[in-house]
Protein backbone atom coordinates (compact mmCIF):
# COMPACT_ATOMS: atom_id res chain seq x y z
CA UNK A 1 0.00 0.00 0.00
CA UNK A 2 1.41 3.33 -1.02
CA UNK A 3 2.35 5.91 1.57
CA UNK A 4 4.31 9.13 1.72
CA UNK A 5 6.67 10.90 4.10
CA UNK A 6 6.48 14.68 3.85
CA UNK A 7 8.73 17.37 5.27
CA UNK A 8 6.60 20.47 5.93
CA UNK A 9 9.03 22.80 7.69
CA UNK A 10 12.72 23.72 7.94
CA UNK A 11 15.40 23.90 5.28
CA UNK A 12 14.03 20.77 3.52
CA UNK A 13 10.40 21.91 3.72
CA UNK A 14 8.34 20.87 0.71
CA UNK A 15 10.17 17.59 0.07
CA UNK A 16 7.88 14.61 -0.39
CA UNK A 17 8.80 10.93 -0.67
CA UNK A 18 6.19 8.45 -1.92
CA UNK A 19 6.80 4.71 -1.68
CA UNK A 20 5.23 1.59 -3.23
CA UNK A 21 7.28 -0.97 -1.32
CA UNK A 22 6.78 -3.11 1.76
CA UNK A 23 9.70 -1.73 3.77
CA UNK A 24 11.45 1.64 3.96
CA UNK A 25 14.49 2.42 6.10
CA UNK A 26 15.67 5.82 7.31
CA UNK A 27 19.20 6.56 8.48
CA UNK A 28 22.39 8.47 7.96
CA UNK A 29 24.12 6.29 5.35
CA UNK A 30 23.50 5.80 1.64
CA UNK A 31 22.06 2.27 1.82
CA UNK A 32 18.84 3.66 3.36
CA UNK A 33 15.78 4.59 1.31
CA UNK A 34 15.84 8.07 2.89
CA UNK A 35 19.22 9.49 3.99
CA UNK A 36 18.81 11.72 7.05
CA UNK A 37 21.60 14.37 7.01
CA UNK A 38 21.75 14.80 10.77
CA UNK A 39 24.54 13.88 13.19
CA UNK A 40 21.90 12.60 15.63
CA UNK A 41 20.76 9.97 13.13
CA UNK A 42 22.26 6.48 13.30
CA UNK A 43 23.44 4.57 10.27
CA UNK A 44 20.25 2.47 10.32
CA UNK A 45 17.86 4.51 12.43
CA UNK A 46 14.22 3.54 11.83
CA UNK A 47 12.06 1.34 9.61
CA UNK A 48 8.48 1.58 8.29
CA UNK A 49 6.89 -1.72 7.25
CA UNK A 50 3.63 -2.45 5.44
CA UNK A 51 1.57 -5.38 6.73
CA UNK A 52 -1.73 -5.67 4.92
CA UNK A 53 -3.58 -2.40 5.52
CA UNK A 54 -1.30 -1.34 8.37
CA UNK A 55 1.87 0.77 8.37
CA UNK A 56 4.19 0.01 11.30
CA UNK A 57 7.17 2.05 12.46
CA UNK A 58 10.01 0.86 14.69
CA UNK A 59 13.29 2.23 15.98
CA UNK A 60 16.34 0.15 14.97
CA UNK A 61 18.17 0.53 18.29
CA UNK A 62 19.41 3.97 17.26
CA UNK A 63 21.75 5.95 19.51
CA UNK A 64 19.42 8.94 19.98
CA UNK A 65 16.02 7.34 19.47
CA UNK A 66 13.00 8.11 17.33
CA UNK A 67 9.93 10.11 18.33
CA UNK A 68 6.36 9.77 17.08
CA UNK A 69 4.12 12.76 17.79
CA UNK A 70 6.70 13.95 20.31
CA UNK A 71 6.79 10.70 22.31
CA UNK A 72 9.83 8.35 22.37
CA UNK A 73 9.30 5.27 20.21
CA UNK A 74 9.95 2.26 22.47
CA UNK A 75 8.15 -0.44 20.50
CA UNK A 76 6.72 -1.16 17.06
CA UNK A 77 3.53 0.87 16.59
CA UNK A 78 1.00 1.54 13.84
CA UNK A 79 1.11 4.89 12.04
CA UNK A 80 -1.99 6.95 11.28
CA UNK A 81 -2.45 9.74 8.76
CA UNK A 82 -0.80 12.91 10.00
CA UNK A 83 1.50 11.22 12.53
CA UNK A 84 4.86 12.97 12.91
CA UNK A 85 8.02 10.85 12.90
CA UNK A 86 11.08 12.72 14.23
CA UNK A 87 14.72 11.72 13.71
CA UNK A 88 17.17 14.26 15.08
CA UNK A 89 15.97 17.68 13.95
CA UNK A 90 14.11 16.34 10.90
CA UNK A 91 10.36 15.62 11.13
CA UNK A 92 8.40 13.59 8.58
CA UNK A 93 4.59 13.71 8.33
CA UNK A 94 3.14 10.29 7.48
CA UNK A 95 0.32 9.96 4.96
CA UNK A 96 -1.23 6.71 3.75
CA UNK A 97 -3.22 5.98 0.56
CA UNK A 98 -1.37 8.69 -1.32
CA UNK A 99 -2.45 8.40 -4.96
CA UNK A 100 -1.92 12.00 -6.10
CA UNK A 101 -0.89 12.20 -9.77
CA UNK A 102 2.49 13.57 -10.76
CA UNK A 103 3.99 12.71 -7.40
CA UNK A 104 7.52 11.37 -7.00
CA UNK A 105 7.45 7.72 -6.16
CA UNK A 106 9.96 4.93 -5.58
CA UNK A 107 8.90 2.11 -7.87
CA UNK A 108 10.11 -0.88 -9.80
CA UNK A 109 9.45 -1.31 -13.49
CA UNK A 110 6.71 -3.81 -12.77
CA UNK A 111 4.90 -1.31 -10.58
CA UNK A 112 4.39 1.24 -13.36
CA UNK A 113 0.74 1.68 -14.45
CA UNK A 114 -0.54 -0.49 -17.30
CA UNK A 115 -2.19 1.27 -20.22
CA UNK A 116 -5.09 0.04 -22.33
CA UNK A 117 -3.30 1.39 -25.37
CA UNK A 118 0.16 2.70 -26.15
CA UNK A 119 0.99 5.62 -23.81
CA UNK A 120 1.82 9.02 -25.24
CA UNK A 121 5.53 9.57 -26.02
CA UNK A 122 7.57 10.20 -22.90
CA UNK A 123 4.67 9.29 -20.60
CA UNK A 124 6.60 6.56 -18.80
CA UNK A 125 10.18 7.19 -17.71
CA UNK A 126 12.63 4.33 -17.72
CA UNK A 127 13.37 2.99 -14.26
CA UNK A 128 15.31 0.19 -12.65
CA UNK A 129 14.22 -1.74 -9.56
CA UNK A 130 14.52 0.44 -6.48
CA UNK A 131 15.20 3.60 -8.46
CA UNK A 132 13.34 6.85 -8.12
CA UNK A 133 11.16 7.62 -11.10
CA UNK A 134 8.62 10.25 -11.97
CA UNK A 135 5.15 8.75 -11.93
CA UNK A 136 3.36 9.27 -15.24
CA UNK A 137 -0.12 10.71 -15.59
CA UNK A 138 -2.98 8.76 -14.08
CA UNK A 139 -3.90 5.54 -15.87
CA UNK A 140 -7.29 5.42 -17.61
CA UNK A 141 -10.08 5.27 -15.06
CA UNK A 142 -13.81 4.80 -15.29
CA UNK A 143 -14.47 7.90 -13.23
CA UNK A 144 -13.23 11.30 -14.34
CA UNK A 145 -10.74 12.76 -11.85
CA UNK A 146 -11.45 16.02 -10.08
CA UNK A 147 -10.12 19.10 -11.87
CA UNK A 148 -6.58 20.01 -10.88
CA UNK A 149 -5.14 23.44 -10.08
CA UNK A 150 -4.42 24.26 -13.76
CA UNK A 151 -8.02 23.49 -14.75
CA UNK A 152 -9.35 25.77 -12.01
CA UNK A 153 -6.98 28.55 -13.11
CA UNK A 154 -8.17 28.23 -16.73
CA UNK A 155 -11.80 28.49 -15.60
CA UNK A 156 -11.02 31.62 -13.60
CA UNK A 157 -9.25 33.21 -16.57
CA UNK A 158 -12.23 32.50 -18.86
CA UNK A 159 -14.47 34.39 -16.42
CA UNK A 160 -12.35 37.57 -16.68
CA UNK A 161 -13.32 40.49 -18.97
CA UNK A 162 -11.67 40.35 -22.41
CA UNK A 163 -9.16 43.24 -21.80
CA UNK A 164 -8.00 41.61 -18.59
CA UNK A 165 -7.67 38.21 -20.31
CA UNK A 166 -5.42 39.84 -22.94
CA UNK A 167 -3.25 41.30 -20.15
CA UNK A 168 -2.99 37.90 -18.43
CA UNK A 169 -2.04 36.14 -21.68
CA UNK A 170 0.58 38.80 -22.46
CA UNK A 171 2.11 38.40 -19.01
CA UNK A 172 2.11 34.64 -19.45
CA UNK A 173 3.86 34.96 -22.81
CA UNK A 174 6.57 37.15 -21.30
CA UNK A 175 7.08 34.64 -18.49
CA UNK A 176 7.36 31.77 -20.98
CA UNK A 177 9.88 33.75 -23.04
CA UNK A 178 12.01 34.48 -19.98
CA UNK A 179 12.01 30.76 -19.05
CA UNK A 180 13.12 29.81 -22.57
CA UNK A 181 15.93 32.39 -22.49
CA UNK A 182 17.00 31.12 -19.07
CA UNK A 183 17.11 27.54 -20.38
CA UNK A 184 19.16 28.60 -23.41
CA UNK A 185 21.61 30.44 -21.14
CA UNK A 186 21.96 27.36 -18.94
CA UNK A 187 22.58 25.08 -21.89
CA UNK A 188 25.13 27.52 -23.26
CA UNK A 189 26.98 27.70 -19.95
CA UNK A 190 26.89 23.90 -19.64
CA UNK A 191 28.41 23.61 -23.08
CA UNK A 192 31.18 26.00 -22.08
CA UNK A 193 32.48 23.36 -19.66
CA UNK A 194 33.50 21.32 -22.68
CA UNK A 195 32.14 18.28 -24.51
CA UNK A 196 30.96 15.31 -22.51
CA UNK A 197 33.69 12.76 -21.74
CA UNK A 198 32.45 9.16 -21.52
CA UNK A 199 35.31 6.67 -21.88
CA UNK A 200 38.41 8.61 -20.83
CA UNK A 201 40.30 7.26 -17.84
CA UNK A 202 41.55 9.77 -15.27
CA UNK A 203 44.35 9.14 -12.82
CA UNK A 204 43.46 8.78 -9.16
CA UNK A 205 46.31 9.81 -6.86
CA UNK A 206 47.27 10.39 -3.24
CA UNK A 207 46.50 14.14 -3.31
CA UNK A 208 43.02 15.67 -3.75
CA UNK A 209 42.12 16.20 -7.42
CA UNK A 210 41.13 19.83 -7.96
CA UNK A 211 38.93 19.00 -10.96
CA UNK A 212 35.14 18.72 -10.60
CA UNK A 213 33.57 15.80 -12.53
CA UNK A 214 29.93 15.03 -13.34
CA UNK A 215 27.23 17.21 -14.84
CA UNK A 216 26.27 20.58 -13.40
CA UNK A 217 27.08 24.29 -13.37
CA UNK A 218 30.37 23.87 -11.48
CA UNK A 219 31.99 20.98 -13.37
CA UNK A 220 35.40 21.20 -15.04
CA UNK A 221 35.11 17.84 -16.83
CA UNK A 222 31.62 16.99 -18.10
CA UNK A 223 30.83 13.30 -17.50
CA UNK A 224 27.01 13.06 -17.33
CA UNK A 225 26.71 9.27 -17.28
CA UNK A 226 30.02 7.98 -15.91
CA UNK A 227 33.37 9.18 -14.53
CA UNK A 228 36.21 6.59 -14.57
CA UNK A 229 39.49 6.65 -12.64
CA UNK A 230 42.41 4.24 -12.44
CA UNK A 231 45.07 3.66 -9.80
CA UNK A 232 47.81 1.18 -9.07
CA UNK A 233 47.57 -0.61 -5.73
CA UNK A 234 50.93 -1.77 -4.41
CA UNK A 235 51.96 -2.55 -0.83
CA UNK A 236 55.45 -2.53 0.73
CA UNK A 237 54.28 -5.42 2.92
CA UNK A 238 51.39 -7.46 1.45
CA UNK A 239 48.25 -7.32 3.56
CA UNK A 240 49.61 -4.57 5.80
CA UNK A 241 47.92 -1.41 4.51
CA UNK A 242 44.53 0.26 4.66
CA UNK A 243 43.22 2.01 1.52
CA UNK A 244 40.54 4.71 1.81
CA UNK A 245 38.76 6.47 -1.07
CA UNK A 246 37.85 10.11 -0.36
CA UNK A 247 35.66 12.52 -2.34
CA UNK A 248 33.36 15.51 -2.08
CA UNK A 249 29.86 15.30 -3.60
CA UNK A 250 27.24 17.86 -4.54
CA UNK A 251 23.94 18.13 -6.48
CA UNK A 252 22.98 14.48 -5.81
CA UNK A 253 19.19 14.61 -5.70
CA UNK A 254 18.23 11.20 -4.34
CA UNK A 255 19.91 8.17 -2.76
CA UNK A 256 21.05 5.60 -5.32
CA UNK A 257 21.20 8.13 -8.17
CA UNK A 258 24.97 7.58 -8.49
CA UNK A 259 26.72 4.27 -7.80
CA UNK A 260 30.41 3.87 -6.91
CA UNK A 261 32.08 0.73 -8.28
CA UNK A 262 35.51 -0.81 -7.74
CA UNK A 263 36.70 -3.02 -10.59
CA UNK A 264 33.12 -3.42 -11.78
CA UNK A 265 31.75 -4.40 -8.36
CA UNK A 266 29.44 -2.34 -6.14
CA UNK A 267 31.08 -0.28 -3.39
CA UNK A 268 28.46 2.28 -2.35
CA UNK A 269 25.90 4.84 -3.48
CA UNK A 270 26.43 8.59 -3.16
CA UNK A 271 24.04 9.87 -0.51
CA UNK A 272 21.71 12.75 -1.33
CA UNK A 273 23.28 16.14 -0.62
CA UNK A 274 20.10 18.10 0.21
CA UNK A 275 21.54 21.23 -1.40
CA UNK A 276 24.82 21.12 0.57
CA UNK A 277 28.07 19.47 -0.52
CA UNK A 278 29.69 17.02 1.87
CA UNK A 279 32.71 14.75 2.20
CA UNK A 280 32.48 10.97 1.83
CA UNK A 281 35.03 8.22 2.38
CA UNK A 282 35.04 4.45 2.11
CA UNK A 283 37.58 1.92 3.41
CA UNK A 284 38.19 -0.37 0.43
CA UNK A 285 37.68 -4.08 0.96
CA UNK A 286 40.82 -5.94 -0.10
CA UNK A 287 38.65 -8.50 -1.88
CA UNK A 288 37.62 -5.81 -4.39
CA UNK A 289 41.23 -4.86 -5.19
CA UNK A 290 43.88 -6.24 -7.54
CA UNK A 291 47.28 -6.01 -5.77
CA UNK A 292 50.21 -4.73 -7.84
CA UNK A 293 47.93 -4.02 -10.78
CA UNK A 294 45.73 -1.29 -12.25
CA UNK A 295 42.39 -0.85 -10.47
CA UNK A 296 39.29 0.96 -11.71
CA UNK A 297 36.96 3.31 -9.79
CA UNK A 298 33.72 4.33 -11.51
CA UNK A 299 31.02 6.83 -10.56
CA UNK A 300 27.96 5.74 -12.57
CA UNK A 301 24.86 7.92 -12.91
CA UNK A 302 21.95 5.45 -12.84
CA UNK A 303 19.25 7.98 -13.75
CA UNK A 304 17.92 8.04 -17.31
CA UNK A 305 18.18 10.65 -18.58
CA UNK A 306 21.15 11.57 -16.35
CA UNK A 307 20.54 14.23 -13.71
CA UNK A 308 23.00 16.77 -12.34
CA UNK A 309 25.69 15.50 -9.99
CA UNK A 310 29.19 16.60 -9.04
CA UNK A 311 32.13 14.78 -7.48
CA UNK A 312 35.43 16.47 -6.63
CA UNK A 313 38.48 16.28 -4.34
CA UNK A 314 38.99 12.62 -5.26
CA UNK A 315 42.01 10.96 -3.69
CA UNK A 316 43.28 7.73 -2.16
CA UNK A 317 44.74 7.50 1.32
CA UNK A 318 47.01 4.51 1.91
CA UNK A 319 48.08 3.90 5.51
CA UNK A 320 50.39 1.23 6.87
CA UNK A 321 48.77 -1.01 9.44
CA UNK A 322 50.53 -1.18 12.81
CA UNK A 323 52.11 -4.40 14.04
CA UNK A 324 51.44 -6.18 17.31
CA UNK A 325 49.48 -8.95 18.92
CA UNK A 326 45.66 -8.69 18.91
CA UNK A 327 45.73 -7.88 22.63
CA UNK A 328 48.31 -5.10 22.19
CA UNK A 329 46.46 -3.61 19.21
CA UNK A 330 43.13 -3.75 21.04
CA UNK A 331 44.70 -1.87 23.97
CA UNK A 332 46.12 0.80 21.62
CA UNK A 333 42.76 1.19 19.84
CA UNK A 334 40.99 1.58 23.18
CA UNK A 335 43.50 4.27 24.22
CA UNK A 336 42.88 6.23 20.99
CA UNK A 337 39.13 5.86 21.47
CA UNK A 338 39.37 7.14 25.06
CA UNK A 339 41.44 10.14 23.91
CA UNK A 340 38.83 10.89 21.27
CA UNK A 341 36.03 10.70 23.83
CA UNK A 342 37.93 13.03 26.14
CA UNK A 343 38.42 15.60 23.36
CA UNK A 344 34.75 15.34 22.43
CA UNK A 345 33.57 15.86 26.01
CA UNK A 346 35.72 19.02 26.30
CA UNK A 347 34.84 20.26 22.82
CA UNK A 348 34.09 23.80 24.01
CA UNK A 349 37.43 24.22 25.81
CA UNK A 350 39.66 24.47 22.74
CA UNK A 351 38.66 25.31 19.16
CA UNK A 352 40.47 22.28 17.72
CA UNK A 353 39.03 19.65 20.09
CA UNK A 354 36.37 18.34 17.69
CA UNK A 355 39.00 18.06 14.95
CA UNK A 356 41.40 16.32 17.37
CA UNK A 357 38.68 13.85 18.41
CA UNK A 358 38.17 13.03 14.73
CA UNK A 359 41.91 12.33 14.33
CA UNK A 360 41.94 9.95 17.33
CA UNK A 361 38.85 8.09 16.05
CA UNK A 362 40.61 7.65 12.69
CA UNK A 363 43.71 6.26 14.41
CA UNK A 364 41.55 3.83 16.40
CA UNK A 365 39.92 2.67 13.15
CA UNK A 366 43.35 2.10 11.56
CA UNK A 367 44.57 0.04 14.53
CA UNK A 368 41.41 -2.07 14.56
CA UNK A 369 41.87 -2.80 10.84
CA UNK A 370 45.16 -4.55 11.73
CA UNK A 371 43.38 -7.04 14.01
CA UNK A 372 42.16 -10.17 12.16
CA UNK A 373 39.00 -10.36 14.30
CA UNK A 374 38.59 -6.97 16.03
CA UNK A 375 36.40 -6.67 19.15
CA UNK A 376 32.90 -6.04 17.80
CA UNK A 377 31.72 -3.57 20.47
CA UNK A 378 34.76 -1.30 20.21
CA UNK A 379 34.81 -1.53 16.41
CA UNK A 380 31.13 -0.55 16.13
CA UNK A 381 31.59 2.33 18.56
CA UNK A 382 34.63 3.67 16.70
CA UNK A 383 32.90 3.58 13.31
CA UNK A 384 29.69 5.10 14.69
CA UNK A 385 31.48 7.97 16.49
CA UNK A 386 33.77 8.61 13.51
CA UNK A 387 30.77 9.00 11.19
CA UNK A 388 29.01 11.33 13.63
CA UNK A 389 32.06 13.54 14.15
CA UNK A 390 32.78 13.62 10.40
CA UNK A 391 29.28 14.93 9.70
CA UNK A 392 29.60 17.54 12.44
CA UNK A 393 32.99 18.68 11.12
CA UNK A 394 31.64 19.00 7.58
CA UNK A 395 28.71 21.08 8.81
CA UNK A 396 31.02 23.29 10.88
CA UNK A 397 33.28 23.77 7.86
CA UNK A 398 30.38 24.85 5.63
CA UNK A 399 29.03 27.23 8.26
CA UNK A 400 32.41 28.84 8.93
CA UNK A 401 33.22 29.24 5.22
CA UNK A 402 29.81 30.86 4.73
CA UNK A 403 30.54 33.22 7.62
CA UNK A 404 33.88 34.16 6.04
CA UNK A 405 32.20 34.83 2.69
CA UNK A 406 29.55 37.02 4.35
CA UNK A 407 32.27 38.90 6.23
CA UNK A 408 34.11 39.59 2.97
CA UNK A 409 30.93 40.91 1.34
CA UNK A 410 29.65 43.02 4.22
CA UNK A 411 32.77 44.06 6.16
CA UNK A 412 35.75 43.65 3.84
CA UNK A 413 39.01 41.71 3.65
CA UNK A 414 40.18 42.24 7.23
CA UNK A 415 36.99 40.78 8.70
CA UNK A 416 37.15 37.88 6.23
CA UNK A 417 40.76 37.19 7.23
CA UNK A 418 39.72 37.04 10.91
CA UNK A 419 37.01 34.53 10.02
CA UNK A 420 39.49 32.43 8.02
CA UNK A 421 41.98 32.44 10.91
CA UNK A 422 39.15 31.13 13.09
CA UNK A 423 38.65 28.28 10.63
CA UNK A 424 42.35 27.37 10.82
CA UNK A 425 42.06 27.35 14.63
CA UNK A 426 39.23 24.82 14.37
CA UNK A 427 40.91 22.81 11.58
CA UNK A 428 44.64 23.06 12.41
CA UNK A 429 45.95 20.38 9.99
CA UNK A 430 45.42 19.47 6.36
CA UNK A 431 43.87 16.16 7.38
CA UNK A 432 40.50 17.86 6.83
CA UNK A 433 39.87 19.72 3.53
CA UNK A 434 38.55 22.78 5.38
CA UNK A 435 42.11 23.69 6.31
CA UNK A 436 43.19 23.77 2.67
CA UNK A 437 40.11 25.76 1.63
CA UNK A 438 40.76 28.39 4.31
CA UNK A 439 44.46 28.65 3.43
CA UNK A 440 43.60 29.05 -0.25
CA UNK A 441 41.23 31.94 0.51
CA UNK A 442 43.81 33.55 2.79
CA UNK A 443 46.44 33.42 0.03
CA UNK A 444 44.06 35.25 -2.30
CA UNK A 445 43.31 37.94 0.28
CA UNK A 446 46.93 38.56 1.30
Amino acid sequence: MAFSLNIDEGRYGGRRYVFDQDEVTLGRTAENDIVVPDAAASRKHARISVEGERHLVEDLQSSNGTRVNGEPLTRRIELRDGDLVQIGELTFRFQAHDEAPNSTRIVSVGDLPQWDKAPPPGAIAKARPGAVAARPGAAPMARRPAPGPLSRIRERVRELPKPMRITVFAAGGLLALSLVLSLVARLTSAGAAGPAVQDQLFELGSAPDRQVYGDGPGVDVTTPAKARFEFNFSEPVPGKSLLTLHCQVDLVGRPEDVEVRINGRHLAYLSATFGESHELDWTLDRRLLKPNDENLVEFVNLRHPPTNWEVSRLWLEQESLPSGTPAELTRQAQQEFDLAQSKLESEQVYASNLHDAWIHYKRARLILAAIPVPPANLSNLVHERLKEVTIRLDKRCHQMLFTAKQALITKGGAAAMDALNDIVAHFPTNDHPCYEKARSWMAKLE
Side-chain angles (χ1 to χ4, degrees), residues 190 193-198 200 202 209-216 218-224 226-227 229 309-311:
V197 177
Q198 296 295 344
Q200 183 175 345
F202 304 96
D209 188 343
R210 296 183 180 274
Q211 299 272 48
V212 180
Y213 303 86
D215 191 17
V219 301
D220 301 306
V221 182
T222 304
T223 54
K226 184 186 294 186
F229 305 85
W309 63 287
E310 292 180 1
V311 60

Side-chain angles (χ1 to χ4, degrees), residues 6-78:
N6 310 280
I7 304 176
D8 296 327
E9 299 178 351
R11 64 180 301 180
Y12 307 123
R15 290 182 182 265
R16 184 165 179 259
Y17 304 89
V18 185
F19 296 92
D20 265 344
Q21 57 197 62
D22 293 334
E23 182 177 291
V24 170
T25 60
L26 301 90
R28 201 182 60 243
T29 54
E31 66 264 22
N32 294 283
D33 297 291
I34 294 184
V35 178
V36 180
D38 193 305
S42 295
R43 289 190 292 179
K44 285 268 190 178
H45 196 103
R47 175 168 53 220
I48 297 175
S49 308
V50 180
E51 294 185 1
E53 301 293 320
R54 306 169 68 211
H55 297 83
L56 304 171
V57 62
E58 60 184 311
D59 184 85
L60 300 178
Q61 298 182 346
S62 63
S63 300
N64 297 299
T66 305
R67 290 180 175 270
V68 176
N69 298 326
E71 297 296 327
L73 181 62
T74 57
R75 58 186 177 83
R76 198 170 182 230
I77 66 171
E78 183 176 0

Side-chain angles (χ1 to χ4, degrees), residues 121-235:
I124 299 181
K126 293 181 181 179
R128 59 183 181 80
V132 180
R135 180 181 173 174
M141 300 176 66
R143 185 177 59 188
R144 183 177 179 178
L150 290 177
S151 299
R152 291 196 292 269
I153 291 173
R154 283 197 295 268
E155 292 297 328
R156 292 290 180 87
V157 172
R158 289 194 190 103
E159 295 171 0
L160 295 174
K162 186 175 180 179
M164 192 171 293
R165 288 205 306 272
I166 293 173
T167 302
V168 170
F169 289 140
L174 289 173
L175 177 60
L177 179 61
S178 67
L179 290 174
V180 170
L181 292 175
S182 174
L183 178 60
V184 170
R186 181 178 175 185
L187 291 175
T188 302
S189 64
V197 177
Q198 296 295 344
D199 299 320
Q200 183 175 345
L201 275 174
F202 304 96
E203 185 177 352
L204 184 58
S206 59
D209 188 343
R210 296 183 180 274
Q211 299 272 48
V212 180
Y213 303 86
D215 191 17
V219 301
D220 301 306
V221 182
T222 304
T223 54
K226 184 186 294 186
R228 306 169 73 232
F229 305 85
E230 63 178 354
F231 66 94
N232 187 285
F233 175 51
S234 60
E235 299 178 285

Side-chain angles (χ1 to χ4, degrees), residues 255-331:
E256 300 189 8
D257 274 5
V258 181
E259 182 184 17
V260 187
R261 299 173 184 168
I262 300 290
N263 294 322
R265 298 172 65 183
H266 173 79
L267 174 66
Y269 292 106
L270 299 186
S271 55
T273 56
F274 292 95
E276 187 176 89
S277 64
H278 57 254
E279 310 288 332
L280 293 176
D281 63 75
W282 302 276
T283 299
L284 302 187
D285 190 327
R286 299 183 60 83
R287 293 171 294 182
L288 301 178
L289 300 171
K290 297 185 288 187
N292 302 312
D293 199 355
E294 293 298 327
N295 291 261
L296 180 66
V297 176
E298 297 175 291
F299 293 81
V300 184
N301 191 344
L302 300 175
R303 296 291 302 279
H304 299 286
T307 56
N308 281 1
W309 63 287
E310 292 180 1
V311 60
S312 60
R313 295 188 56 80
L314 279 156
W315 64 290
L316 284 169
E317 181 181 17
Q318 185 168 348
E319 302 170 278
S320 297
L321 295 176
S323 301
T325 66
E328 292 170 344
L329 293 171
T330 300
R331 185 168 58 254

